[in-house]
Coordinates of all heavy atoms in Angstrom, one line a residue:
M1 N -38.1 -138.0 114.5 CA -37.2 -138.6 113.5 C -35.7 -138.4 113.9 O -35.4 -137.4 114.5 CB -37.4 -138.0 112.1 CG -36.4 -138.5 111.1 SD -36.8 -137.9 109.4 CE -36.6 -139.4 108.6
R2 N -34.9 -139.4 113.6 CA -33.5 -139.3 114.0 C -32.9 -138.2 113.2 O -33.3 -137.9 112.1 CB -32.8 -140.7 113.6 CG -33.4 -141.8 114.4 CD -32.7 -143.1 114.0 NE -33.2 -144.2 114.7 CZ -32.8 -145.4 114.7 NH1 -31.7 -145.7 114.0 NH2 -33.3 -146.4 115.4
S3 N -31.7 -137.7 113.7 CA -31.0 -136.7 113.0 C -30.2 -137.2 111.8 O -29.9 -136.5 110.9 CB -30.1 -135.9 113.9 OG -29.2 -136.8 114.5
V4 N -29.9 -138.6 111.9 CA -29.2 -139.2 110.8 C -30.0 -140.5 110.4 O -30.4 -141.3 111.3 CB -27.8 -139.6 111.2 CG1 -27.1 -140.4 110.1 CG2 -27.0 -138.4 111.5
V5 N -30.2 -140.7 109.1 CA -30.9 -141.9 108.7 C -30.0 -142.6 107.7 O -29.4 -141.9 106.8 CB -32.3 -141.6 108.0 CG1 -32.9 -142.9 107.5 CG2 -33.2 -140.9 109.0
V6 N -29.8 -143.9 107.8 CA -28.9 -144.6 106.9 C -29.8 -145.2 105.8 O -30.9 -145.8 106.0 CB -28.2 -145.7 107.6 CG1 -27.4 -146.6 106.6 CG2 -27.2 -145.1 108.6
V7 N -29.4 -145.0 104.5 CA -30.0 -145.6 103.4 C -29.0 -146.5 102.7 O -27.9 -146.1 102.4 CB -30.5 -144.6 102.3 CG1 -31.2 -145.3 101.1 CG2 -31.6 -143.7 103.0
A8 N -29.3 -147.8 102.5 CA -28.4 -148.8 101.9 C -29.1 -149.5 100.8 O -30.3 -149.6 100.7 CB -28.0 -149.8 103.0
D9 N -28.3 -150.0 99.8 CA -28.9 -150.8 98.8 C -29.0 -152.2 99.3 O -28.4 -152.6 100.4 CB -28.3 -150.7 97.4 CG -26.9 -151.3 97.3 OD1 -26.6 -152.3 98.0 OD2 -26.1 -150.8 96.5
S10 N -29.7 -153.1 98.6 CA -30.0 -154.4 99.2 C -28.8 -155.3 99.2 O -28.8 -156.3 99.9 CB -31.1 -155.1 98.3 OG -30.7 -155.2 97.0
T11 N -27.7 -154.9 98.6 CA -26.5 -155.7 98.7 C -25.7 -155.6 100.0 O -24.7 -156.3 100.3 CB -25.5 -155.5 97.5 OG1 -25.0 -154.1 97.6 CG2 -26.1 -155.8 96.2
A12 N -26.3 -154.8 100.9 CA -25.7 -154.7 102.3 C -26.1 -156.0 103.0 O -25.4 -156.4 103.9 CB -26.3 -153.5 103.0
Y13 N -27.2 -156.7 102.6 CA -27.6 -158.0 103.1 C -27.7 -157.9 104.7 O -27.2 -158.8 105.3 CB -26.7 -159.1 102.7 CG -26.7 -159.3 101.2 CD1 -25.6 -159.1 100.4 CD2 -27.9 -159.6 100.5 CE1 -25.7 -159.2 99.0 CE2 -28.0 -159.7 99.1 CZ -26.8 -159.5 98.4 OH -26.9 -159.6 97.0
L14 N -28.2 -156.8 105.2 CA -28.4 -156.7 106.6 C -29.7 -157.5 107.0 O -30.7 -157.5 106.3 CB -28.6 -155.3 107.0 CG -27.3 -154.4 106.8 CD1 -27.6 -152.9 106.9 CD2 -26.2 -154.8 107.7
P15 N -29.6 -158.2 108.2 CA -30.8 -158.9 108.6 C -32.0 -157.9 108.9 O -31.8 -156.8 109.3 CB -30.3 -159.5 109.9 CG -28.9 -159.5 109.9 CD -28.5 -158.3 109.1
D16 N -33.2 -158.4 108.7 CA -34.4 -157.6 108.8 C -34.5 -157.0 110.2 O -34.9 -155.9 110.4 CB -35.7 -158.4 108.5 CG -35.8 -158.8 107.1 OD1 -35.2 -158.0 106.2 OD2 -36.5 -159.7 106.7
D17 N -34.1 -157.8 111.3 CA -34.2 -157.2 112.6 C -33.2 -156.1 112.8 O -33.5 -155.1 113.5 CB -33.9 -158.3 113.7 CG -32.6 -159.0 113.6 OD1 -32.0 -159.1 112.4 OD2 -32.1 -159.5 114.6
V18 N -32.1 -156.1 112.2 CA -31.1 -154.9 112.2 C -31.7 -153.7 111.5 O -31.7 -152.6 112.0 CB -29.8 -155.3 111.7 CG1 -28.8 -154.1 111.6 CG2 -29.1 -156.4 112.5
L19 N -32.3 -154.0 110.3 CA -32.9 -152.9 109.5 C -34.0 -152.2 110.3 O -34.0 -151.0 110.4 CB -33.5 -153.4 108.2 CG -32.5 -154.0 107.2 CD1 -33.2 -154.6 106.0 CD2 -31.5 -152.9 106.7
S20 N -34.8 -153.0 111.0 CA -35.9 -152.5 111.8 C -35.4 -151.7 113.0 O -35.8 -150.6 113.3 CB -36.9 -153.6 112.2 OG -37.5 -154.1 111.1
A21 N -34.5 -152.4 113.7 CA -34.0 -151.8 115.0 C -33.3 -150.5 114.8 O -33.4 -149.6 115.6 CB -33.1 -152.8 115.7
E22 N -32.6 -150.4 113.7 CA -31.7 -149.2 113.4 C -32.4 -148.2 112.5 O -31.9 -147.2 112.2 CB -30.4 -149.6 112.8 CG -29.6 -150.5 113.7 CD -29.3 -149.9 115.1 OE1 -29.1 -148.6 115.2 OE2 -29.2 -150.6 116.1
G23 N -33.6 -148.6 112.0 CA -34.3 -147.6 111.1 C -33.6 -147.4 109.7 O -33.7 -146.4 109.2
I24 N -33.0 -148.5 109.3 CA -32.2 -148.4 108.0 C -33.2 -148.6 106.8 O -33.9 -149.5 106.8 CB -31.1 -149.4 108.0 CG1 -30.1 -149.1 109.1 CG2 -30.3 -149.4 106.6 CD1 -29.0 -150.2 109.3
E25 N -33.1 -147.6 105.9 CA -33.9 -147.7 104.7 C -33.2 -148.6 103.7 O -31.9 -148.4 103.6 CB -34.2 -146.4 104.1 CG -35.0 -145.4 105.1 CD -36.4 -145.9 105.2 OE1 -37.0 -146.4 104.2 OE2 -37.0 -145.7 106.3
T26 N -33.9 -149.4 102.9 CA -33.2 -150.2 101.9 C -33.8 -149.9 100.5 O -35.0 -149.8 100.3 CB -33.4 -151.7 102.2 OG1 -33.0 -152.0 103.5 CG2 -32.7 -152.6 101.2
V27 N -32.9 -149.8 99.5 CA -33.2 -149.6 98.1 C -32.8 -150.9 97.4 O -31.6 -151.3 97.5 CB -32.6 -148.4 97.5 CG1 -33.0 -148.2 96.1 CG2 -33.0 -147.1 98.3
S28 N -33.7 -151.5 96.7 CA -33.4 -152.8 96.2 C -32.8 -152.8 94.7 O -33.2 -152.0 93.9 CB -34.7 -153.7 96.1 OG -34.4 -155.0 95.7
L29 N -31.9 -153.8 94.5 CA -31.4 -154.0 93.2 C -32.5 -154.8 92.5 O -33.3 -155.4 93.1 CB -30.1 -154.9 93.2 CG -28.8 -154.2 93.3 CD1 -28.6 -153.6 94.7 CD2 -27.7 -155.2 93.0
S30 N -32.4 -154.8 91.2 CA -33.3 -155.7 90.3 C -32.6 -156.9 89.9 O -31.4 -156.9 89.6 CB -33.7 -154.9 89.1 OG -34.5 -153.7 89.5
V31 N -33.3 -158.0 89.9 CA -32.8 -159.3 89.3 C -33.5 -159.5 88.0 O -34.8 -159.5 87.9 CB -33.0 -160.4 90.3 CG1 -32.5 -161.7 89.7 CG2 -32.4 -160.2 91.6
N32 N -32.8 -159.6 86.9 CA -33.3 -159.7 85.6 C -33.2 -161.1 85.1 O -32.0 -161.6 85.0 CB -32.6 -158.8 84.6 CG -32.5 -157.3 85.1 OD1 -33.6 -156.8 85.4 ND2 -31.4 -156.8 85.3
F33 N -34.3 -161.8 84.9 CA -34.3 -163.2 84.6 C -34.2 -163.4 83.0 O -34.7 -162.5 82.3 CB -35.5 -163.9 85.1 CG -35.5 -164.0 86.6 CD1 -36.1 -163.0 87.4 CD2 -34.8 -165.0 87.3 CE1 -36.1 -163.0 88.8 CE2 -34.8 -165.0 88.7 CZ -35.4 -164.1 89.4
P34 N -33.7 -164.5 82.6 CA -33.5 -164.8 81.1 C -34.9 -164.7 80.4 O -34.9 -164.4 79.2 CB -32.9 -166.2 81.1 CG -32.2 -166.4 82.4 CD -33.1 -165.6 83.4
D35 N -36.0 -165.0 81.0 CA -37.3 -164.9 80.3 C -37.8 -163.5 80.2 O -38.9 -163.3 79.6 CB -38.3 -165.8 81.1 CG -38.7 -165.2 82.5 OD1 -38.2 -164.2 82.9 OD2 -39.5 -165.9 83.1
G36 N -37.0 -162.5 80.6 CA -37.4 -161.1 80.4 C -38.1 -160.6 81.7 O -38.3 -159.4 81.7
S37 N -38.4 -161.4 82.6 CA -39.0 -160.8 83.9 C -38.0 -160.2 84.8 O -36.8 -160.6 84.7 CB -39.8 -161.9 84.6 OG -38.9 -162.9 85.0
T38 N -38.4 -159.3 85.6 CA -37.6 -158.6 86.6 C -38.2 -158.7 87.9 O -39.4 -158.5 88.0 CB -37.3 -157.2 86.1 OG1 -36.7 -157.2 84.8 CG2 -36.5 -156.4 87.1
E39 N -37.4 -158.9 88.9 CA -38.0 -158.9 90.3 C -37.0 -158.1 91.2 O -35.8 -158.2 91.0 CB -38.1 -160.3 90.8 CG -38.9 -160.5 92.1 CD -39.3 -161.9 92.3 OE1 -39.2 -162.8 91.5 OE2 -39.7 -162.2 93.5
L40 N -37.5 -157.4 92.2 CA -36.7 -156.7 93.1 C -36.0 -157.8 94.0 O -36.6 -158.7 94.4 CB -37.5 -155.8 94.0 CG -38.1 -154.6 93.2 CD1 -38.9 -153.7 94.2 CD2 -37.0 -153.7 92.6
E41 N -34.7 -157.6 94.3 CA -34.0 -158.5 95.1 C -34.6 -158.7 96.5 O -34.7 -159.8 97.0 CB -32.5 -158.0 95.3 CG -31.7 -159.0 96.1 CD -30.3 -158.5 96.3 OE1 -30.0 -157.3 96.4 OE2 -29.4 -159.4 96.2
T42 N -35.2 -157.6 97.0 CA -35.8 -157.7 98.3 C -37.1 -158.4 98.3 O -37.6 -158.8 99.4 CB -36.1 -156.2 98.9 OG1 -36.8 -155.5 97.9 CG2 -34.8 -155.6 99.2
D43 N -37.7 -158.7 97.1 CA -38.9 -159.5 97.0 C -38.6 -161.0 96.9 O -39.6 -161.8 96.9 CB -39.7 -159.0 95.8 CG -40.4 -157.6 96.0 OD1 -40.4 -157.2 97.2 OD2 -40.8 -157.0 95.1
L44 N -37.4 -161.4 96.8 CA -37.0 -162.8 96.7 C -37.0 -163.3 98.1 O -35.9 -163.3 98.8 CB -35.6 -163.0 96.0 CG -35.5 -162.5 94.6 CD1 -34.1 -162.6 94.1 CD2 -36.4 -163.4 93.7
S45 N -38.1 -163.7 98.6 CA -38.2 -164.1 100.0 C -37.6 -165.5 100.3 O -37.2 -165.7 101.5 CB -39.7 -164.0 100.5 OG -40.4 -164.9 99.7
D46 N -37.6 -166.4 99.4 CA -37.1 -167.7 99.6 C -35.8 -167.8 98.9 O -35.7 -168.3 97.7 CB -38.1 -168.8 99.2 CG -37.7 -170.2 99.6 OD1 -36.5 -170.4 99.9 OD2 -38.5 -171.1 99.4
H47 N -34.7 -167.4 99.5 CA -33.4 -167.4 98.8 C -32.9 -168.8 98.5 O -32.3 -169.1 97.5 CB -32.3 -166.7 99.7 CG -32.6 -165.2 99.7 ND1 -32.9 -164.6 100.8 CD2 -32.5 -164.3 98.7 CE1 -33.0 -163.3 100.6 NE2 -32.8 -163.1 99.3
A48 N -33.2 -169.8 99.3 CA -32.8 -171.2 99.1 C -33.5 -171.7 97.8 O -32.8 -172.3 96.9 CB -33.2 -172.1 100.2
A49 N -34.8 -171.4 97.6 CA -35.5 -171.8 96.4 C -34.9 -171.1 95.1 O -34.8 -171.6 94.1 CB -36.9 -171.5 96.5
Y50 N -34.5 -169.8 95.3 CA -33.9 -169.0 94.2 C -32.6 -169.7 93.8 O -32.4 -169.9 92.6 CB -33.7 -167.6 94.7 CG -32.8 -166.8 93.7 CD1 -33.3 -166.4 92.5 CD2 -31.5 -166.6 94.0 CE1 -32.5 -165.7 91.6 CE2 -30.7 -165.9 93.1 CZ -31.2 -165.5 91.9 OH -30.4 -164.8 91.0
W51 N -31.8 -170.0 94.7 CA -30.5 -170.6 94.4 C -30.7 -172.0 93.7 O -30.0 -172.3 92.8 CB -29.6 -170.7 95.6 CG -29.1 -169.4 96.0 CD1 -29.4 -168.7 97.1 CD2 -28.1 -168.6 95.3 NE1 -28.8 -167.5 97.2 CE2 -28.0 -167.4 96.0 CE3 -27.4 -168.7 94.1 CZ2 -27.1 -166.4 95.7 CZ3 -26.6 -167.7 93.7 CH2 -26.4 -166.5 94.5
R52 N -31.7 -172.8 94.2 CA -31.9 -174.1 93.6 C -32.4 -173.9 92.1 O -32.1 -174.7 91.3 CB -33.0 -174.8 94.4 CG -32.4 -175.5 95.6 CD -33.4 -176.5 96.3 NE -34.7 -175.9 96.6 CZ -35.0 -175.2 97.7 NH1 -34.1 -175.0 98.6 NH2 -36.2 -174.7 97.9
S53 N -33.2 -172.8 91.9 CA -33.8 -172.6 90.6 C -32.7 -172.3 89.5 O -32.9 -172.5 88.3 CB -34.8 -171.5 90.6 OG -34.2 -170.2 90.7
L54 N -31.6 -171.8 90.0 CA -30.5 -171.5 89.0 C -30.0 -172.8 88.3 O -29.5 -172.7 87.2 CB -29.3 -170.8 89.8 CG -29.7 -169.4 90.4 CD1 -28.5 -168.8 91.0 CD2 -30.3 -168.5 89.4
D55 N -30.1 -173.9 89.0 CA -29.6 -175.2 88.4 C -30.4 -175.5 87.1 O -29.9 -176.2 86.2 CB -29.8 -176.3 89.3 CG -28.8 -176.3 90.5 OD1 -27.7 -175.7 90.3 OD2 -29.1 -176.9 91.5
D56 N -31.6 -175.0 87.0 CA -32.5 -175.3 85.8 C -32.3 -174.3 84.7 O -33.0 -174.4 83.6 CB -33.9 -175.3 86.2 CG -34.2 -176.4 87.3 OD1 -33.5 -177.4 87.3 OD2 -35.1 -176.2 88.1
L57 N -31.5 -173.3 84.9 CA -31.4 -172.2 83.8 C -30.1 -172.4 83.0 O -29.0 -172.7 83.6 CB -31.3 -170.8 84.5 CG -32.6 -170.4 85.3 CD1 -32.3 -169.1 86.0 CD2 -33.8 -170.4 84.4
S58 N -30.2 -172.2 81.7 CA -29.0 -172.3 80.9 C -28.3 -170.9 80.8 O -27.1 -170.9 80.6 CB -29.4 -172.7 79.5 OG -30.3 -171.8 78.9
T59 N -29.1 -169.9 81.1 CA -28.5 -168.5 81.2 C -28.9 -168.0 82.5 O -30.0 -168.0 82.9 CB -29.1 -167.6 80.1 OG1 -28.9 -168.2 78.8 CG2 -28.5 -166.2 80.1
L60 N -27.9 -167.5 83.3 CA -28.1 -167.0 84.6 C -28.7 -165.6 84.6 O -28.5 -164.8 83.7 CB -26.8 -167.0 85.4 CG -26.2 -168.3 85.7 CD1 -24.9 -168.2 86.4 CD2 -27.1 -169.2 86.5
P61 N -29.5 -165.3 85.6 CA -30.0 -163.9 85.8 C -28.9 -162.9 85.9 O -27.8 -163.3 86.3 CB -30.9 -164.0 87.1 CG -31.1 -165.4 87.4 CD -29.9 -166.1 86.7
T62 N -29.2 -161.7 85.6 CA -28.2 -160.6 85.9 C -28.9 -159.7 86.9 O -30.1 -159.8 87.2 CB -27.9 -159.8 84.6 OG1 -29.2 -159.3 84.1 CG2 -27.3 -160.7 83.6
T63 N -28.1 -158.8 87.5 CA -28.6 -157.8 88.4 C -28.4 -156.4 87.8 O -27.6 -156.2 86.9 CB -28.0 -157.8 89.8 OG1 -26.6 -157.7 89.6 CG2 -28.3 -159.2 90.4
S64 N -29.2 -155.5 88.3 CA -29.1 -154.1 87.9 C -29.1 -153.2 89.1 O -29.9 -153.4 90.0 CB -30.2 -153.7 86.9 OG -30.1 -152.4 86.5
Q65 N -28.3 -152.2 89.1 CA -28.3 -151.2 90.2 C -29.7 -150.6 90.4 O -30.4 -150.5 89.5 CB -27.2 -150.2 90.0 CG -27.6 -149.3 88.8 CD -26.4 -148.4 88.4 OE1 -25.2 -148.7 88.8 NE2 -26.6 -147.4 87.7
P66 N -30.0 -150.1 91.6 CA -31.3 -149.4 91.8 C -31.3 -148.2 90.9 O -30.3 -147.5 90.6 CB -31.2 -149.0 93.3 CG -30.2 -149.9 93.9 CD -29.2 -150.2 92.9
S67 N -32.5 -147.9 90.4 CA -32.7 -146.8 89.5 C -32.6 -145.5 90.3 O -32.8 -145.5 91.6 CB -34.0 -146.8 88.8 OG -35.1 -146.7 89.8
V68 N -32.4 -144.4 89.6 CA -32.4 -143.1 90.3 C -33.8 -142.8 90.9 O -33.9 -142.3 92.1 CB -32.1 -141.9 89.3 CG1 -32.3 -140.6 89.9 CG2 -30.7 -142.1 88.7
G69 N -34.8 -143.3 90.3 CA -36.2 -143.1 90.8 C -36.4 -143.9 92.1 O -37.1 -143.4 93.0
A70 N -35.8 -145.1 92.2 CA -35.9 -145.8 93.4 C -35.2 -145.1 94.6 O -35.7 -145.1 95.7 CB -35.3 -147.2 93.2
F71 N -34.0 -144.6 94.3 CA -33.3 -143.8 95.4 C -34.1 -142.6 95.7 O -34.3 -142.2 96.9 CB -31.9 -143.4 95.0 CG -30.9 -144.5 95.2 CD1 -30.4 -145.2 94.2 CD2 -30.5 -144.8 96.5 CE1 -29.4 -146.2 94.4 CE2 -29.6 -145.8 96.8 CZ -29.0 -146.5 95.7
A72 N -34.7 -141.9 94.7 CA -35.5 -140.7 95.0 C -36.7 -141.0 95.9 O -37.0 -140.3 96.8 CB -35.9 -140.0 93.7
A73 N -37.3 -142.2 95.6 CA -38.5 -142.6 96.3 C -38.1 -142.9 97.8 O -38.9 -142.7 98.7 CB -39.1 -143.8 95.7
A74 N -36.9 -143.3 98.0 CA -36.4 -143.6 99.4 C -36.1 -142.3 100.1 O -36.4 -142.1 101.3 CB -35.2 -144.5 99.4
Y75 N -35.5 -141.4 99.4 CA -35.0 -140.2 100.1 C -36.0 -139.1 100.2 O -36.0 -138.3 101.2 CB -33.8 -139.6 99.3 CG -32.5 -140.2 99.6 CD1 -31.9 -141.1 98.6 CD2 -31.8 -140.1 100.8 CE1 -30.7 -141.7 98.8 CE2 -30.6 -140.7 101.0 CZ -30.1 -141.5 100.1 OH -28.9 -142.1 100.3
E76 N -37.0 -139.0 99.3 CA -38.0 -137.9 99.4 C -38.8 -137.8 100.7 O -38.9 -136.8 101.3 CB -38.9 -137.9 98.2 CG -38.2 -137.5 96.9 CD -39.0 -137.7 95.6 OE1 -40.1 -138.3 95.7 OE2 -38.6 -137.2 94.6
P77 N -39.3 -139.0 101.2 CA -40.0 -138.9 102.5 C -39.1 -138.5 103.6 O -39.5 -137.9 104.6 CB -40.6 -140.3 102.7 CG -40.2 -141.1 101.5 CD -39.4 -140.3 100.6
L78 N -37.8 -139.0 103.5 CA -36.9 -138.7 104.6 C -36.6 -137.2 104.6 O -36.5 -136.5 105.7 CB -35.6 -139.5 104.4 CG -35.7 -141.0 104.5 CD1 -34.4 -141.7 104.1 CD2 -36.2 -141.4 105.8
L79 N -36.4 -136.6 103.4 CA -36.2 -135.2 103.3 C -37.4 -134.4 103.8 O -37.2 -133.4 104.5 CB -35.8 -134.8 101.9 CG -34.4 -135.3 101.4 CD1 -34.3 -135.1 99.9 CD2 -33.3 -134.6 102.1
A80 N -38.5 -134.8 103.4 CA -39.8 -134.1 103.8 C -40.0 -134.2 105.3 O -40.5 -133.2 105.9 CB -41.0 -134.8 103.1
A81 N -39.5 -135.2 106.0 CA -39.6 -135.3 107.4 C -38.5 -134.6 108.2 O -38.5 -134.5 109.4 CB -39.6 -136.8 107.8
G82 N -37.6 -134.0 107.4 CA -36.5 -133.2 108.0 C -35.2 -133.9 108.3 O -34.4 -133.6 109.0

């Protein structure tokens, strides 16, 4: 394992190839939709479709910072690995 590991939230918007090549861990923001559903930003695989879907909404989605638990889930295996 590297002596330094970078953990970023999903708003860093780093390309997947950079994340993989540099071993950067990502913690995702949540996107909260007006219908009450929530999706992780990193699970929105088709960004073009997402942006088009906003035209059909009278109330726009909101975002929420990653939870403490999400950060803990990212850091715990890194800490365990040294």
Side-chain angles (χ1 to χ4, degrees):
M1 173 174 225
R2 297 178 183 189
S3 60
V4 174
V5 177
V6 174
V7 177
D9 70 34
S10 57
T11 61
Y13 300 116
L14 297 169
D16 289 338
D17 59 330
V18 172
L19 295 172
S20 296
E22 301 300 328
I24 299 171
E25 299 289 327
T26 304
V27 181
S28 185
L29 271 69
S30 296
V31 179
N32 308 304
F33 293 94
D35 66 2
S37 64
T38 299
E39 192 167 347
L40 294 177
E41 182 181 39
T42 53
D43 291 343
L44 297 172
S45 58
D46 187 348
H47 289 114
Y50 168 75
W51 288 108
R52 283 191 305 274
S53 75
L54 298 181
D55 287 338
D56 299 330
L57 298 175
S58 59
T59 303
L60 294 175
T62 60
T63 57
S64 179
Q65 65 192 19
S67 68
V68 171
F71 275 108
Y75 281 108
E76 285 172 352
L78 299 173
L79 291 170

